Amino acid sequence: QVQLVESGGGLVQAGGSLRLSCAASGGTFSMYAMAWFRLAPGKERAFVAAISMSGISTDYGDSVKGRFTISRENAKKMLYLQMNSLKPEDMAVYYCAIRRGSMRRGADDYDYWGQGTQVTVSS
């Protein structure tokens, strides 16, 4: 059983930055691909970014490409999302997710989820 706990959300002005973290426990962390998704009010859950087991390969949603960076530290069982140049449309609850094997963009492909952390961007 894998457990994920996100942190780092908060209130930031448009143009600002935040760094989200996701701490994992249980399982063999290095055997899992990981991803960030977000859920905004009135919208469907959206793919943000994913990273391979080794951390070498990454994938980003079009709306965050060039502004967000996903990374991981397998020794610490940590996943990160550095968010720069934040926009009001980035405001959402951000979730980290994990799956055994290669990274995917579909939320249904992920097996375990964190409880989410709120990111609020003021204009």
Side-chain angles (χ1 to χ4, degrees):
Q1 185 76 15
V2 176
Q3 292 184 325
L4 303 172
V5 179
E6 301 96 336
S7 61
L11 172 64
V12 64
Q13 286 188 330
S17 298
L18 278 177
R19 189 194 196 203
L20 305 184
S21 298
C22 175
S25 60
T28 304
F29 187 73
S30 60
M31 295 178 65
Y32 293 92
M34 299 196 73
W36 289 97
F37 291 82
R38 65 188 183 186
L39 182 61
K43 296 186 178 180
E44 295 185 352
R45 186 168 44 186
F47 169 76
V48 175
I51 189 165
S52 63
M53 291 181 281
S54 66
I56 292 176
S57 298
T58 57
D59 185 25
Y60 295 92
D62 289 343
S63 62
V64 306
K65 201 172 295 183
R67 299 187 297 122
F68 290 11
T69 302
I70 188 171
S71 61
R72 63 190 293 168
E73 289 187 84
N74 285 350
K76 295 183 178 180
K77 294 188 175 183
M78 293 293 297
L79 174 72
Y80 306 102
L81 184 68
Q82 178 66 43
M83 306 185 295
N84 298 329
S85 302
L86 282 161
K87 305 175 181 180
E89 51 263 44
D90 294 319
M91 185 162 56
V93 177
Y94 283 72
Y95 298 89
C96 65
I98 196 168
R99 71 180 303 273
R100 183 178 290 270
S102 58
M103 58 182 183
R104 294 283 189 271
R105 287 192 167 204
D108 290 343
D109 292 320
Y110 287 81
D111 303 309
Y112 299 100
W113 292 79
Q115 83 291 347
T117 185
Q118 175 71 49
V119 171
T120 302
V121 183
S122 63
S123 56

